Amino acid sequence: MVPVTADPLPRARPLAAGPGARAARRHESRLLFSARPALWALLRAGALAGPVRRVPRLGWLVTDPILARRLLTDHTSTSLLGEGGVGHLWAQVLGDWVLEIFDGPGHADLRARSRDLFTKATSQELVSRVLAPRLGRAGAELAGGGELDVADLSRVLVGRMVADLLGMDRGDDDAAFRALFATGERLAAIALGSTASTHLDPADVTAARAIVDELTVGVADGFATAPPDRLLGRCRELGLNLRETTGLAALLTVAGTETAASAMARTVALLADTGQHRRLGDDRSEELVEAAVREGLRVSTPAPMIGRHVTADIALGPARLRAGDRVLVLTHVADNAAGGFDVDRPYDPRTRHLWFGAGRHQCLGAALARAEITALLETLLDTGRGWRVVRRRYGRRVLIPSYAELTIAAD
Ligand code: HEM
């Protein structure tokens, strides 16, 4: 038994007040409800449930940021390979070989070799090469008095990034990248019903396999021929084999498309709704833009929960989790306990970067996600005029809560 106890929490900063802050909270709440009413209800209940609570059918809910980190960094008592973990889902789609690289020594080895795939520097280079031309056109439209649907733009940008990472040549037409994004969305949607069980039915497995084949069609060729400064070439140089590279490519698409697009549009909306885009207009320091990106990620927490399977009895705060239990870490609740969106909120050592997870499975693409959001904000700020939301629609029945449309115009 590994004893784990909670430290007393420092006092949370109060919720940001004022009509802008209230509007921002209302829109975020509606967006969550529209995506998945059950998720909305779970997060609401989780916020009232205390730090860790057992719930019939779902297992343990963890909402306290420090306990969440303890659990996610406890690699001896938890796993994501058993029922409740994402590795369990993937093994059904990609095959049992995934179990060797999704957790345990095989995973540690793969992470060690892929450590430098997305550093801050390589991510910024990627964003400059792949996204800057399209962002430049969007910025010019906005500056020229046009309207811009940031939700659509985010999907197109992320689609462009995925095409580049997966070695696909899709030309320069936005429609091709929208379609690619939608393919990634279809794959992620197969996990929609996994909150209570990560067992997939055979029809879903077949559908998911067909999508993975479609998405990774260019991987074998890219793996053989891509130069070392491209992702597939780097995988080869790092000593990954073709099967690992193909699995990683599929995983990147699922993990890094909807999440990144969701955070991009929601951060733009949060800045407009709270009026804090004006603060950034007045102060373009790297620190403040970085804080806006961090706050956008914290408040939106695009991956609102993380599942784990308990493999050995463990004491977590007041609770005793038993081997075989399943756990849902409600990161959205843990991250939002500190209060509303506030670009002046200092870095919080309790949450750290919990929206990217924690421990060995912490997001591999975190630097890339930050670089993508930063590039979008910089583009909007470069117009020098601030922005207002003209129209918005929340996405319905989507795995990752997102805007279907977020049309803005210069202020
Ligand atoms: C705002 C955007 C993103 C968010 C909020 C996010 C969030 C997360 C979270 C919470 C995890 C941990 C899951 C767990 O512990 O079970 C994770 C893992 C992962 N993410 Fe991200 N992610 C984002 C963007 C990306 C991007 C852009 C990529 C790559 C292109 C990416 C690739 C991955 C991979 C490969 C993993 C699995 C890591 C492992 O199991 O070792 N993510 N992400």
Side-chain angles (χ1 to χ4, degrees):
M1 169 110 68
V2 185
V4 186
T5 47
D7 296 328
L9 292 182
R11 288 176 75 83
R13 194 179 155 105
L15 288 174
R22 275 199 298 278
R25 278 202 298 278
R26 197 175 57 240
H27 286 303
E28 275 292 312
S29 178
R30 287 182 184 165
L31 182 125
L32 289 168
F33 184 82
S34 172
R36 285 192 275 159
L39 170 70
W40 177 86
L42 179 63
L43 297 179
R44 294 279 289 222
L48 304 171
V52 46
R53 160 84 64 101
R54 187 173 194 137
V55 173
R57 246 168 51 83
L58 296 181
W60 293 96
L61 303 183
V62 180
T63 60
D64 172 82
I66 293 172
L67 294 182
R69 179 172 308 285
R70 294 234 175 114
L71 184 89
L72 293 174
T73 52
D74 181 347
H75 305 292
T76 51
S77 317
T78 68
S79 157
L80 43 63
L81 299 183
E83 154 63 44
V86 71
H88 182 236
L89 276 175
W90 275 107
Q92 295 163 71
V93 176
L94 296 177
D96 280 350
W97 65 270
V98 163
L99 302 176
E100 284 159 35
I101 60 155
F102 238 108
D103 223 337
H107 174 262
D109 176 54
L110 182 63
R111 280 298 295 239
R113 279 183 289 148
S114 50
R115 193 179 296 132
D116 85 333
L117 281 183
F118 299 109
T119 61
K120 188 170 178 185
T122 56
S123 300
Q124 283 170 347
E125 274 166 35
L126 253 176
V127 167
S128 300
R129 180 171 59 77
V130 182
L131 304 188
R134 182 64 187 86
L135 276 168
R137 294 209 295 278
E141 280 165 37
L142 195 63
E147 293 185 348
L148 182 66
D149 179 354
V150 179
D152 177 63
L153 176 66
S154 301
R155 291 191 286 268
V156 166
L157 292 172
V158 167
R160 284 175 184 265
M161 184 57 75
V162 169
D164 188 85
L165 295 178
L166 268 55
M168 293 174 168
D169 182 4
R170 292 256 167 156
D172 193 33
D173 185 354
D174 279 354
F177 301 106
R178 273 188 204 107
L180 184 54
F181 185 92
T183 308
E185 242 178 345
R186 275 195 289 128
L187 183 55
I190 291 175
L192 250 180
S194 70
T195 307
S197 166
T198 47
H199 285 280
L200 296 174
D201 71 45
D204 282 343
V205 172
T206 309
R209 283 189 185 149
I211 298 174
V212 168
D213 288 347
E214 188 185 331
L215 284 173
T216 55
V217 69
V219 171
D221 206 29
F223 183 74
T225 59
D229 65 337
R230 297 296 162 96
L231 181 93
L232 297 177
R234 274 219 308 285
C235 286
R236 186 188 61 231
E237 302 288 308
L238 290 168
L240 272 63
N241 61 36
L242 177 59
R243 196 172 67 171
E244 288 169 335
T245 304
T246 309
L248 194 63
L251 188 58
L252 295 183
T253 316
V254 172
T257 48
E258 281 185 273
T259 45
S262 165
M264 287 160 98
R266 287 162 79 184
T267 304
V268 170
L270 284 162
L271 280 164
D273 292 337
T274 56
Q276 293 181 39
H277 58 323
R278 291 194 201 94
R279 266 287 278 122
L280 290 184
D282 296 341
D283 175 1
R284 280 287 295 273
S285 67
E286 202 182 313
E287 290 75 31
L288 203 61
V289 175
E290 214 175 275
V293 172
R294 187 174 63 232
E295 279 294 281
L297 283 162
R298 181 182 68 79
V299 172
S300 63
T301 306
M305 58 191 170
I306 299 176
R308 285 291 185 272
H309 184 83
V310 180
T311 52
D313 293 0
I314 142 181
L316 191 68
R320 279 173 179 263
L321 282 55
R322 303 279 174 213
D325 287 350
R326 70 201 309 276
V327 191
L328 286 176
V329 177
L330 300 186
T331 42
H332 189 279
V333 176
D335 293 341
N336 276 278
F341 182 88
D342 182 355
V343 295
D344 291 309
R345 183 184 300 284
Y347 169 82
D348 186 342
R350 293 171 314 157
T351 43
R352 295 194 216 168
H353 303 284
L354 199 53
W355 40 93
F356 285 126
R360 280 197 201 142
H361 295 281
Q362 187 168 35
C363 181
L364 185 66
L368 179 59
R370 284 196 198 96
E372 289 175 324
I373 305 165
T374 306
L376 174 63
L377 294 189
E378 299 275 5
T379 301
L380 302 186
L381 291 167
D382 279 347
T383 62
R385 297 179 49 190
W387 60 91
R388 67 196 152 82
V389 177
V390 179
R391 271 184 311 282
R392 71 177 98 203
R393 265 185 310 118
Y394 314 113
R396 296 194 60 209
R397 291 280 304 149
V398 280
L399 179 67
I400 302 294
S402 332
Y403 281 105
E405 176 186 357
L406 185 79
T407 299
I408 60 167
D411 226 357

